[in-house]
């Protein structure tokens, strides 16, 4: 089971299964969707991307999506905060 540093400064670790189903918010506080799955490097075990089921009303035309319509976000752009996950969305 994969573990990642949810809080780099505090070195808190979480299992990725704890994140599946959590809400994703932008750094501006808008709901983006729900974590559906992860893309991993099978050699290193590192998480590369988060797959997010978009919330109703989210326009994904300017975002990278997979064949199932999930938003593909780089793993490095987010942090877990209790019951939600915050993702840094470049403007």
């Amino acid at each position: 089971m994969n573990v990642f540093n949810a809080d780099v400064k505090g070195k808190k670790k979480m299992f990725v299964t704890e994140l599946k189903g959590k809400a994703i918010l932008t750094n501006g506080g808008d709901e983006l969707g729900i974590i559906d799955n992860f893309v991993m490097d099978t050699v290193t075990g590192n998480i590369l991307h988060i797959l997010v089921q978009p919330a109703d009303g989210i326009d994904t035309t300017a975002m990278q999506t997979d064949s199932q319509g999930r938003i593909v976000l780089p793993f490095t752009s987010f942090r877990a905060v209790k019951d939600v996950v915050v993702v840094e969305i470049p403007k």
Side-chain angles (χ1 to χ4, degrees):
M1 198 173 293
N2 280 352
V3 178
F4 76 96
N5 288 331
D7 178 353
V8 175
K9 290 182 181 177
K11 300 293 185 197
K12 181 178 178 188
K13 296 182 186 268
M14 297 178 75
F15 290 102
V16 292
T17 54
E18 293 178 67
L19 295 174
K20 196 168 181 181
K22 287 203 183 278
I24 293 273
L25 302 178
T26 66
N27 51 328
D30 299 321
E31 184 179 359
L32 191 58
I34 302 293
I35 294 178
D36 185 55
N37 217 333
F38 300 87
V39 176
M40 302 185 71
D41 182 316
T42 57
V43 175
T44 65
N46 291 334
I47 301 170
L48 302 175
H49 297 93
I50 308 160
L51 302 177
V52 177
Q53 189 64 46
D56 291 338
I58 296 295
D59 180 10
T60 61
T61 54
M63 300 178 187
Q64 181 182 355
T65 57
D66 69 0
S67 62
Q68 296 177 28
R70 298 175 296 190
I71 303 166
V72 180
L73 298 173
F75 176 73
T76 56
S77 67
F78 87 100
R79 62 187 175 104
V81 181
K82 296 197 181 198
D83 293 330
V84 297
V85 175
V86 179
V87 64
E88 182 74 31
I89 302 290
K91 296 185 183 213

